[in-house]
Each structure stands twice: as C-alpha cells, then as structure tokens.
Amino acid sequence: MIKKITQYLDSCIDAGDIFGASFALITPRGIDQYYHGKQGNDEFGIGLDASMIYDLASVTKVVATTTRIFQLLSDHTIRLEDSVTRFLPGFQHPEITIKHLLLHNSGLPADIEHLTAMNREDLITAVYGAKLINQPGEKVVYSDLGYIILGWIIRTVDGALARSIQDHVCYPLAMTNTGYNLNRPKIRFVPTEFDPRRGQIQGQVHDYKAFLLNGESGHAGLFSTLTDLTVFVEMMLNFGEYQGKRVLDENVFDWLGEYDVDGRTLGWERRPGKHQYFHTGYTGPAIAFDLDRQIGLVLLTNRVYPTSDNQVWNQDRAHVFDLFFDEEG
C-alpha cells in the first residue's frame, strides 16, 4: 500500500498539482514517515523535513475541537442532547444541539456571506444571527459555523479554547509543535496562499474567519507537524490511549461506530458501514484511520500555495484515500 501511495504522490508532485507532501503511514508493523518535494518555489524552494509546520485548516475540527468535545461528553460536563443555548444564551436557535453540530445537520448554512467586508464583531454577530437553511436533523450540510460554535462552547466551559486544547489534547500526547498561533521561526511554517490584502501568508492562519477570530477557532487555526499528528493517529488507533495515558475514553469509539449519517459520524467523515474515519482541510491536509485494520494515514500539503485556484489536489487526495482504504492494498 505505501508503495502505491508514495508513487502516486510523487506523480502528483511531478505533475505540479502540489510542490511537496509530508506523509506517514501507521501500521501494526510500525511507522513510516516521508518528506517528498519542497515547500514551494523561488525563496520557498526548500526541501521538506520533520521540522516543517502546516496550517491544518479544517483538520482542526477533529484533532482539536471534536477531541475536546468527546472528553467533555465522557466526563458528563456536556451532553449530546444539550442545546447550544445552555452555553451560549444569546444564540437564537435553542432547538440546535451539540449532536447536531457534530453531525453537521444543525440546519446552519455552510459559511458566512460577504465575509471579506467583515471585522471580528461583524462575524460574531453573523454567526449568532445565522438563519437556518434546513430544520435541525433534516439534512447534512458541512458547516464551519457549527464548529465555530463548538469552539465557543469549549471556551465557555474551559475559559479559553487554545489553552483548553493545549492542556487536554496536546500536552498529554506530547504534541509540542501543535497549537494555535504558534510562536516558531517563520521559516519552519510551510507557506499557504498569496493574498492581495494580507500578502504571502506564512505562519498565520489562512482561513479568514479564523483570522478574524484572532487565529483561534473551533473550525480552523491549528498548526502542526507530521510527527505530532502521527502521535494523534496512534492514539486513535489505540482506542484513546497513548503510552499509558488515556486521552479519550473507549466509549468514544462506540459513538463513532454508532452514527453513520450521509457519510458522517460525530465530527469525522466515515466510509459508510466501515470503521474507517477521515477528515480533510482546505489548505490541503488529510488524516485517516481504519480501526479494523489498525492502520492510519497523515498527509500534509499546502495545496493553496501560491493560489487556492488550484483545485486538482482535491481529486488527487480523494484517490489517496481510496488507496489507503482499499482492503486489497
């Protein structure tokens, strides 16, 4: 399997779909990590290595937000059926629950319109005032808004989102190069898009909603390395435990298996009928694990460099998932 994936990723780099990829395969036999290609071109024509830090975009949703929400569910601080308004009294849809947000069937729209004209206060007002496009529970619509709200719920419970994720997810897993607004040498950050207003984005969150929220949100904003994310996947494959530390209760994995709604379970995307889970991010990353076969995949790219107009990688990445989940592979 790794040979097929490696050859395919090399072909994507050769074709110019991406400049490079940092990727790892976790199997019962061990962990293989690879760094192929470069950060980009010109001054970013730097070979990839283990020190490189990537903008995870929506992979933030599962590594940070979903993981902390699962912990809070397990210790009964929150419940799946709790209304959002229990934690955010100003939210105008008491019928929306935490479970709706995790399953992306809350009825909230996918995104905010006219975002580029907004400041931070405008965005917060827009999220609180968002009108439903469906009834809660009626239809799956992948929504950043739902995960912005989950981040605010974590903040309400724990006092601060970034500190909560640091203390409860990153620290127990010794993920020392993972977090929001990481203070590291700029050269270690793989560049993302060149934005006419912001210039070359490097070491600062790409997602504009997360940018308006000071780089700290439930839907995006996390940065990490291949090594740190490999540890996270190891923990998931070991049903919540890593090197003797329990990060997630085993009941979490029963929940993941229980929900199968239009290719989604709680937080994660799911191969229908399989214990195979995955998630992607707008900037190019991917994370996946198969509990039955005990294999995991971390795949980091900066797909949006130098421009997000390049959409080819999105199809390429879907094919990598096919290679990874192929039980004949």
Side-chain angles (χ1 to χ4, degrees), residues 56-87:
L56 299 189
S58 284
V59 172
T60 301
K61 291 182 172 79
V62 288
V63 173
T65 312
T66 300
T67 303
R68 182 60 187 141
I69 288 289
F70 281 165
Q71 292 170 337
L72 294 171
L73 287 167
S74 293
D75 68 17
H76 308 293
T77 301
I78 65 176
R79 297 167 299 178
L80 282 176
E81 303 300 338
D82 278 345
S83 169
V84 170
T85 54
R86 178 187 167 197
F87 306 95

Side-chain angles (χ1 to χ4, degrees), residues 239 249-259 265 275 277:
F239 295 91
D249 283 351
E250 284 194 76
N251 60 3
V252 164
F253 299 88
D254 294 333
W255 301 338
L256 287 176
E258 180 180 347
Y259 294 92
T265 182
H275 298 295
Y277 308 99

Side-chain angles (χ1 to χ4, degrees), residues 217-246:
S217 182
H219 79 290
L222 205 69
F223 287 82
S224 190
T225 62
L226 183 67
T227 299
D228 277 7
L229 289 179
T230 299
V231 168
F232 178 83
V233 173
E234 285 185 89
M235 180 273 291
M236 296 300 285
L237 288 172
N238 202 33
F239 295 91
E241 193 172 300
Y242 180 73
Q243 294 188 348
K245 292 180 183 174
R246 180 147 294 283

Side-chain angles (χ1 to χ4, degrees), residues 4 10 18 82 103 121 173 177 188 196 199 206 209 225 234 243 250 268 285 308 317:
K4 288 181 182 177
D10 283 343
I18 47 175
D82 278 345
L103 290 173
E121 289 69 28
L173 291 171
N177 287 302
R188 290 184 58 189
H206 174 267
K209 294 186 294 299
T225 62
E234 285 185 89
Q243 294 188 348
E250 284 194 76
W268 291 82
S308 58
R317 184 173 55 188

Side-chain angles (χ1 to χ4, degrees), residues 123-188:
L123 174 60
I124 293 170
T125 299
V127 174
Y128 267 90
K131 290 182 167 48
L132 299 187
I133 58 172
N134 299 294
Q135 288 303 305
E138 182 179 73
K139 185 178 179 182
V140 170
V141 175
Y142 178 73
S143 174
D144 278 357
L145 275 65
Y147 263 77
I148 292 173
I149 292 166
L150 285 170
W152 290 343
I153 289 172
I154 292 170
R155 185 182 65 190
T156 299
V157 172
D158 287 339
L161 176 61
R163 175 52 58 189
S164 174
I165 300 307
Q166 203 63 47
D167 289 349
H168 299 285
V169 181
C170 300
Y171 180 74
L173 291 171
M175 293 168 64
T176 55
N177 287 302
T178 301
Y180 295 98
N181 296 314
L182 284 182
N183 182 19
R184 301 289 188 278
K186 196 169 184 180
I187 195 169
R188 290 184 58 189

Side-chain angles (χ1 to χ4, degrees), residues 279-293:
H279 211 284
T280 61
Y282 185 83
T283 50
I287 188 170
F289 62 99
D290 183 329
L291 289 175
D292 290 334
R293 295 161 68 209

